[in-house]
Amino acid sequence: MNWLNGLIDLPWWAYIVVALVLTHITIASVTIYLHRHQAHRALDLHPIASHFFRFWLWLTTGQITKEWASIHRKHHAKCETAEDPHSPQIYGIKKVFWEGYELYRAEAANKETMQKYGHGTPDDFLERHLYSKHNTLGPVVMLLIDLCLFGVNGIWIWAVQMIWIPLTAAGIINGIGHYWGYRNFECEDASTNIVPWGIMIGGEELHNNHHTFGTSAKLSYKWFEFDIGWMYIRSLQICGLAKVRKIAPKMTLSAAAKRELDEASLQAIIANRYAIAANYARTLKGTVGEEVERMRNSAKLPQIDFDPVRQMKIWLKQDAKDTPEQDQKILAKVLAESTVLEQIYQMRQELTRLWERSALSRPELVKLLQDWCNRAEASGIAALQDFSFRLRTVV
């Protein structure tokens, strides 16, 4: 009966380790190959690395590259709208978490999505005659391999492999990653970072960072965040198997502030607009807290059922068009009771004109930026003055 143990006989805990290692290779294949390489072109992969990932995904998921890339690209293009293939804001968190794979399969049958968003995906002999044509064969081959190697234990190892991507990618990332977590940036959708340590799901846990900088090969942004997928990409790069095309810009400051701003300053501010918006909210948080406390003591603070300081920080990160309609009504009531908050908020929204699509020329935008800094420094609000001085150092 030794054949029931397969070719490799292991202690019970080693089978668990094997299952975790196998599923982690699959996660790495999804995030590096399907997501960052194919869907977003954030990096180029050597044919050896590219084909290994494609072959492994065929074995462990039966995934067709064109379908995955097309659906994900449409998700970014139509995020949080009725056309988003899997938004919990539209379908509800329960449906996306538990039925995310079914939503994926329904969108994969949409020929228009495949034609519009599937450009640039593999279309070679193997893709046409094996990977796409016989995509269900891969998991069958994987089952036979697991049975040969691990015997009866191969059955549950295979089952874990098969459920891993539908649960983590379709459920956790597409569901929880747009519903619960923290946000570094108030981008135009509801994406969140689930946890700051992207290990179990290959770095995809840092979903808000990804939606803010969609073409970045690196998903971590703040110093305490870790993206294991980026570690693998750097390792592949050192071995000559990958070439990074783009990562998220990092705001850097010069030692001296520019008295007269120029087009280089404007370009740096536009490139770092999300970081600047977050920095603005953080810099003004103390002033907002003091003003809210003053309003509360003078009974001028409107009756609201949330922390006004925390909510103001969110509103100050956002461009006005991204603030939900119900929030805009509450915000208007708060601003009507405070000239300080009104000034802080309006100054923040004026910054939007620097990076929104506008008919203004570059020289006109530079003039607008210079005027903004002059007025901020003359406002009498210390935190606003500090922010303006720091804005003059962005390079």
Side-chain angles (χ1 to χ4, degrees), residues 176-318:
I176 295 176
H178 282 263
Y179 192 81
W180 179 88
Y182 72 96
R183 285 166 66 87
N184 285 335
F185 308 101
E186 290 299 319
C187 54
E188 297 178 359
D189 52 61
S191 59
T192 59
N193 293 329
I194 301 172
V195 292
W197 311 288
I199 299 174
M200 288 299 294
I201 317 180
E204 298 294 330
E205 294 94 330
L206 299 165
H207 204 55
N208 174 247
N209 295 355
H210 167 60
H211 269 261
T212 304
F213 306 105
T215 58
S216 175
K218 181 182 180 182
L219 304 189
S220 58
Y221 189 88
K222 292 192 172 181
W223 68 269
F224 56 83
E225 295 172 339
F226 176 72
D227 170 15
I228 198 169
W230 174 246
M231 184 184 77
Y232 296 149
I233 290 169
R234 291 289 291 126
S235 299
L236 289 170
Q237 190 175 30
I238 292 170
C239 296
L241 297 176
K243 180 181 179 181
V244 174
R245 300 179 67 178
K246 191 173 183 179
I247 61 173
K250 278 284 190 176
M251 187 170 68
T252 56
L253 306 178
S254 64
K258 291 182 180 178
R259 185 172 182 81
E260 293 296 327
L261 297 164
D262 52 27
E263 290 192 21
S265 303
L266 175 68
Q267 183 59 41
I269 289 170
I270 292 173
N272 292 281
R273 59 190 179 276
Y274 291 109
I276 285 172
N279 187 269
Y280 185 91
R282 186 166 55 251
T283 302
L284 274 297
K285 182 179 179 180
T287 302
V288 169
E290 293 172 1
E291 183 62 14
V292 167
E293 186 62 26
R294 185 196 66 78
M295 294 170 66
R296 185 178 284 117
N297 292 336
S298 59
K300 289 187 175 182
L301 186 67
Q303 291 295 319
I304 47 181
D305 56 357
F306 53 78
D307 181 356
V309 177
R310 183 176 181 181
Q311 190 60 46
M312 275 298 301
K313 185 177 180 181
I314 294 174
W315 288 331
L316 290 176
K317 285 184 182 180
Q318 294 173 331

Side-chain angles (χ1 to χ4, degrees), residues 3 18 64 85 96 107 175 192 225 239-240 254 264 335 352 383 385 389:
W3 63 271
V18 166
I64 298 173
V96 175
E107 191 62 38
T192 59
E225 295 172 339
C239 296
S254 64
L335 298 184
T352 302
Q385 294 169 337
F389 292 142

Side-chain angles (χ1 to χ4, degrees), residues 336-351:
E337 298 296 335
S338 170
T339 56
V340 172
L341 295 183
E342 170 72 17
Q343 183 176 9
I344 289 173
Y345 182 77
Q346 292 306 325
M347 290 290 284
R348 162 62 185 89
Q349 294 310 313
E350 287 181 29
L351 284 174

Side-chain angles (χ1 to χ4, degrees), residues 10-25:
L10 299 171
W12 66 268
W13 58 265
Y15 290 112
I16 297 175
V17 172
V18 166
L20 290 174
V21 169
L22 293 177
T23 53
H24 191 72
I25 295 172

Side-chain angles (χ1 to χ4, degrees), residues 45-161:
L45 287 174
H46 188 281
I48 293 175
S50 178
H51 194 80
F52 167 77
F53 289 133
R54 189 155 53 127
F55 174 69
W56 184 263
L57 288 167
W58 176 72
L59 280 177
T60 58
T61 68
Q63 183 63 64
I64 298 173
T65 302
K66 184 174 183 177
E67 291 180 356
W68 200 99
S70 299
I71 294 170
H72 188 72
R73 289 168 180 171
K74 183 174 182 178
H75 164 62
H76 275 264
K78 306 293 182 180
C79 198
E80 322 297 13
T81 71
E83 295 182 71
D84 188 332
H86 43 62
S87 170
Q89 308 300 319
I90 304 299
Y91 293 102
I93 184 62
K94 289 184 179 179
K95 185 173 184 66
V96 175
F97 186 85
W98 295 111
E99 301 177 41
Y101 182 73
E102 286 74 13
L103 291 173
Y104 172 89
R105 294 311 316 162
E107 191 62 38
N110 187 335
K111 293 182 179 180
E112 182 182 353
T113 298
M114 298 301 108
Q115 292 172 353
K116 185 174 181 179
Y117 298 101
H119 52 84
T121 52
D123 189 28
D124 55 19
F125 179 86
L126 281 171
E127 189 67 35
R128 293 192 301 270
H129 293 87
L130 179 61
Y131 295 143
S132 292
K133 187 176 182 179
H134 301 291
N135 66 304
T136 57
L137 179 60
V140 174
V141 173
M142 189 73 250
L143 174 60
L144 295 177
I145 293 173
D146 285 341
L147 288 173
C148 287
L149 292 178
F150 310 114
V152 292
N153 284 299
I155 297 175
W156 70 261
I157 290 174
W158 179 83
V160 170
Q161 286 181 279

